[in-house]
């Protein structure tokens, strides 16, 4: 059994499509099929059911998939450690960030990092806070950046910045002339909110207790999966929302949105990493740049 065979098996098992897996790995379909057949023949175990033009994992294939992923992850960590013996002259770093951070706070940080370490191949995936946590736990990213909090004890969080949340509405909304006087006014909304799992949504709902409300008290008109969609809906008059001031600064200046006075505590941005995994020198360098304002040695 070789690492190449494991990579091909994992790609095919993930997509349940030999041609797509082969294309991703820059292989021919026949080479990918041959690798799977060699594994099945060598160990006399059927890994896939062939059903017409479809394939499905057998029970043995399903169990083997978890082991194969673990082996490839460990092999990748070993390869990374050896490559770093030459310092930070080459390497890879995958990070994940929630939307507000990735769109507003993180880009200048990554540019500074790029200037210090131009030969590090840097990739960024963007999602909500739950997406970032899954990426770190699954090993597809070494460092994550979130606006909310994660409860998994395998993850370590370090505060790195402070953000201001802002209540905004469209011009003409009743709250511009008569700001909400209490919890009943706030509950009536209507509200346009990010989806469940979003750091912005999580922090706002945690702050509701200080306003005398529970999340279930709010009249939510729309739940949308991005800051841009939320702001567009609010501009169209769908309701009020609470988002990062960075997200709405341009719209406030242009008069497309209006700020409503509401005392909300600041929220913290956090750096997240897996507590039990080796942190590459490339990741250590980014962490050092953020926490101490200087690159690693």
């Amino acid at each position: 059994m070789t690492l190449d065979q494991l990579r091909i098996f994992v790609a095919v098992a993930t997509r349940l499509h030999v041609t797509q897996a082969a294309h991703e790995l820059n292989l021919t379909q026949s080479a990918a099929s041959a690798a799977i057949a060699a594994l099945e023949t060598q160990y006399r175990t059927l890994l896939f059911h062939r059903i017409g033009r479809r394939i499905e994992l057998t029970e043995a294939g399903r169990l083997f998939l978890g082991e194969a992923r673990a082996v490839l992850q460990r092999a990748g960590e070993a390869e990374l450690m050896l490559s770093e013996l030459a310092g930070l002259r080459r390497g890879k770093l995958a990070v994940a960030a929630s939307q507000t951070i990735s769109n507003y706070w993180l880009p200048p940080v990554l540019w500074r990092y790029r200037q210090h370490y131009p030969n590090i191949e840097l990739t960024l995936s963007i999602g909500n806070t739950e997406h970032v946590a899954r990426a770190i736990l699954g090993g597809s990213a070494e460092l994550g950046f979130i606006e909310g909090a994660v409860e998994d004890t395998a993850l370590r969080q370090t505060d790195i910045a402070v953000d201001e949340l802002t209540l905004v509405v469209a011009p003409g909304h009743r709250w511009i002339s008569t700001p909400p006087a209490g919890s009943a006014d706030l509950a009536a909304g209507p509200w346009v909110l990010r989806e469940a799992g979003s750091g912005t949504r999580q922090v706002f709902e945690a702050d509701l207790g200080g306003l005398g409300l529970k999340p279930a008290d709010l009249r939510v008109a729309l739940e949308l999966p991005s800051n841009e969609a939320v702001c567009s809906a609010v501009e169209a008059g769908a309701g009020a929302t609470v988002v990062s001031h960075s997200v709405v600064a341009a719209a406030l200046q242009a008069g497309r949105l209006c700020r409503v006075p509401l005392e909300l505590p600041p929220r913290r941005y956090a750096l997240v990493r897996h507590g039990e995994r080796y942190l590459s020198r490339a990741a250590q360098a980014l962490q050092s740049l953020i926490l101490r304002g200087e690159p690693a040695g």
Side-chain angles (χ1 to χ4, degrees):
M1 182 186 303
T2 68
L3 290 177
D4 282 341
Q5 287 176 322
L6 291 182
R7 290 188 184 97
I8 293 169
F9 167 74
V10 169
V12 174
T14 300
R15 287 152 191 79
L16 293 178
H17 199 289
V18 177
T19 302
Q20 291 177 6
H23 178 73
E24 178 186 328
L25 297 172
N26 292 318
L27 297 172
T28 64
Q29 180 179 348
S30 60
S33 297
I36 299 299
L39 278 175
E40 293 180 321
T41 300
Q42 182 178 355
Y43 296 99
R44 299 178 183 177
T45 302
L46 191 66
L47 299 173
F48 294 96
H49 294 298
R50 280 75 172 176
I51 306 172
R53 300 179 65 181
R54 296 185 298 109
I55 59 172
E56 294 179 358
L57 281 168
T58 63
E59 180 63 14
R62 187 185 64 79
L63 294 173
F64 183 53
L65 178 58
E67 297 297 325
R69 282 174 169 158
V71 170
L72 290 175
Q73 180 177 315
R74 291 295 297 156
E77 291 173 355
E79 182 181 9
L80 180 62
M81 187 178 296
L82 286 175
S83 72
E84 290 182 341
L85 293 176
L88 283 167
R89 291 191 294 273
R90 63 191 179 102
K92 297 180 180 181
L93 176 59
V95 300
S98 51
Q99 287 189 24
T100 304
I101 293 181
S102 62
N103 288 332
Y104 298 94
W105 184 86
L106 192 57
V109 174
L110 295 183
W111 172 237
R112 287 180 58 209
Y113 181 84
R114 187 72 171 174
Q115 289 176 304
H116 286 294
Y117 308 108
N119 296 319
I120 300 297
E121 183 182 330
L122 189 64
T123 59
L124 168 66
S125 65
I126 301 172
N128 60 28
T129 293
E130 287 185 357
H131 161 86
V132 175
R134 288 196 300 270
I136 301 299
L137 289 169
S140 61
E142 277 196 85
L143 296 177
F145 302 90
I146 61 172
E147 303 137 21
V150 291
E151 302 298 329
D152 199 301
T153 56
L155 300 178
R156 295 180 184 172
Q157 300 177 65
T158 305
D159 289 344
I160 54 175
V162 176
D163 183 37
E164 176 189 358
L165 289 177
T166 302
L167 171 59
V168 294
V169 296
H173 192 285
R174 67 183 185 283
W175 285 352
I176 296 175
S177 58
T178 308
S183 58
D185 283 350
L186 287 170
W191 290 89
V192 180
L193 299 179
R194 284 286 305 279
E195 79 287 3
S198 151
T200 299
R201 172 85 172 256
Q202 181 189 90
V203 172
F204 175 50
E205 290 186 343
D207 292 342
L208 287 175
L211 302 171
L213 293 167
K214 301 186 295 294
D217 295 331
L218 298 185
R219 185 162 69 92
V220 179
L222 289 172
E223 293 185 358
L224 298 170
S226 72
N227 292 324
E228 292 73 18
V230 167
C231 291
S232 293
V234 173
E235 287 182 29
T241 195
V242 167
V243 290
S244 167
H245 182 76
S246 300
V247 172
V248 294
L252 290 172
Q253 186 173 5
R256 300 194 307 272
L257 291 173
C258 299
R259 184 172 186 170
V260 177
L262 181 68
E263 285 294 326
L264 292 168
R267 66 171 176 177
R268 297 190 178 277
Y269 291 163
L271 181 151
V272 184
R273 56 162 295 195
H274 200 290
E276 298 178 356
R277 290 202 182 116
Y278 168 76
L279 199 61
S280 70
R281 289 191 63 191
Q284 291 175 36
L286 179 56
Q287 181 176 259
S288 176
L289 189 66
I290 292 169
L291 298 181
R292 289 182 283 279
E294 59 186 26

